[in-house]
Amino acid sequence: MLLAALLCFARLGMSAGGGELTSEATDTTVESVVNTTEATENMGQPYFDNSTKRDYTAAVGQPAYMHCRVKNLADRAVSWIRKRDLHILTVGVHTYSSDARFAALHTDGSDEWTLRVAPAQPRDSGGYECQVSTEPKISLSFRLTVVVSKAEILSGPELFVRAGSDINLTCIARHAPDPPSFIYWYRGPHVVNYAQRGGISVETEQRTRTSRLLIARASPRDSGNYTCAPSSSDSASVVVHVVSGERPAAMQSRAIKMAPSLTTILLSTLTFKEARTLFNIIQYFISLENIITKSSLFYRFYTAISISR
C-alpha cells in the first residue's frame, strides 16, 4: 500500500514538473522505498552488540563473568545455554540449573545480560551461548577457560641466608587471568609487619603480576616461613634460614650429606611394611628424583625388597 502510494506520488510529481518518469528513475525509486521499508521493519528486531568480548578466562575458585549485550530486546527473553550438553542454565534472571554456582545478572533498563559462575571450576571450561527468544531464535557464542593460577617464589621452597645480608624474595602470580588487586606477604600466620623493624620493603608490579619482598640486614630472628598470597591465585611459601658463622652453601651441602646416614639408621630398624610406608610418605613430600639423588641407599634397599617380595 505504502509502495503504491509513493510510486503514484513520484509519477504525479514528475508530470507536474513537465517531465517524464524514466525507467531508470522508477527503478531507483522502487529500490529506495524497498530499502526504507525493510529498515523500518527491522528497526524493532532484537540484535546483538557484536563488539562484546566473547573469550573469557577465569582462575579456579574465583568468579567468572560472561557479558551478553542485546539491543531492542522488547518483550523477548535472554537465555544462557551450556553448549556441551545444551543445558539451559538461565532464562531471564531465573536459574534453571541445579548447580547454584550459575546465576544471571541483569539491571533494569540495561541491555547487558551477564552469566556468573562462582566459584569457577576446571570443568566449567568450554562453550556457552546467549540466546534470544525471537522466531527463529538468534544466538551468540562465548568461550570460557578456567585456569589454575598459582603463585611461585623464585628462590624455591627453602632459602639459606647469611646473617647481615639481605633476604630478597620474588613472587610471581602464574597464569592469573587478571593482574591481582593485591599481593600480601606473610611471616607465619601474620602479615609482614613493616613497623616491627626498619629495612623491610615490598615492591609490587600489577602489570607483570610480580611482588618483591626485601628485608635488609637479616638476623636469625628473621628466620621463618614466608608466604606470598596474591588476591586471585593460590599462595606459595618458602622457609628462610638466617644463619650465623657458617656459609649458607656449606649448610645446604652438609644437610644433603646427612641424609644417607639418617636413611641407613632408619632402614636397619624397619620392617618391609614400615619401610614401604615411610618411602610413600617421603615420596609425597619430596620428589622421587630428589630422593634418588640424596639417598641412593634408600632407593637400592626399596628396589631389593620389592623384587624379593
Side-chain angles (χ1 to χ4, degrees), residues 77-81 88-96 104 113:
V78 175
S79 304
W80 279 97
I81 314 295
I88 300 174
L89 301 173
T90 64
V91 177
V93 294
H94 303 288
T95 301
Y96 282 79
W113 298 79

Side-chain angles (χ1 to χ4, degrees), residues 94-272:
H94 303 288
T95 301
Y96 282 79
S97 172
S98 58
D99 191 338
R101 297 179 305 118
F102 293 96
L105 307 179
H106 175 69
T107 303
D108 288 342
S110 168
D111 60 6
E112 185 168 285
W113 298 79
T114 300
L115 178 66
R116 181 185 67 191
V117 189
Q121 300 296 332
R123 67 178 184 273
D124 298 320
S125 295
Y128 293 80
E129 236 179 46
C130 176
Q131 285 188 359
V132 179
S133 61
T134 53
E135 186 58 45
K137 287 185 175 64
I138 59 172
S139 61
L140 193 64
S141 294
F142 292 78
R143 175 157 292 278
L144 174 65
T145 303
V146 181
V147 299
V148 178
S149 178
K150 182 170 178 59
E152 178 185 352
I153 298 177
L154 299 184
S155 60
E158 197 168 23
L159 178 66
F160 289 83
V161 178
R162 189 191 304 183
S165 59
D166 297 342
I167 298 174
N168 195 340
L169 302 175
T170 299
C171 173
I172 301 177
R174 301 285 189 191
H175 308 299
D178 297 302
S181 303
F182 57 82
I183 299 179
Y184 287 151
W185 284 93
Y186 292 84
R187 180 171 177 266
H190 306 292
V191 175
V192 171
N193 191 342
Y194 304 95
Q196 189 175 14
R197 53 156 289 184
I200 299 179
S201 63
V202 172
E203 295 180 0
T204 299
E205 298 178 4
Q206 287 191 332
R207 183 179 60 83
T208 58
R209 300 161 169 78
T210 301
S211 182
R212 295 180 180 86
L213 171 66
L214 178 65
I215 303 177
R217 301 177 302 280
S219 70
R221 288 181 299 177
D222 295 312
S223 297
N225 186 80
Y226 288 82
T227 300
C228 163
S231 60
S232 58
S233 303
D234 292 343
S235 60
S237 298
V238 56
V239 178
V240 176
H241 305 274
V242 181
V243 297
S244 301
E246 189 174 10
R247 292 185 177 184
M251 286 198 66
Q252 288 173 324
S253 175
R254 189 175 69 178
I256 293 174
K257 289 178 181 178
M258 288 175 62
S261 301
L262 178 61
T263 304
T264 303
I265 295 172
L266 288 172
L267 291 177
S268 64
T269 61
L270 296 178
T271 65
F272 167 74

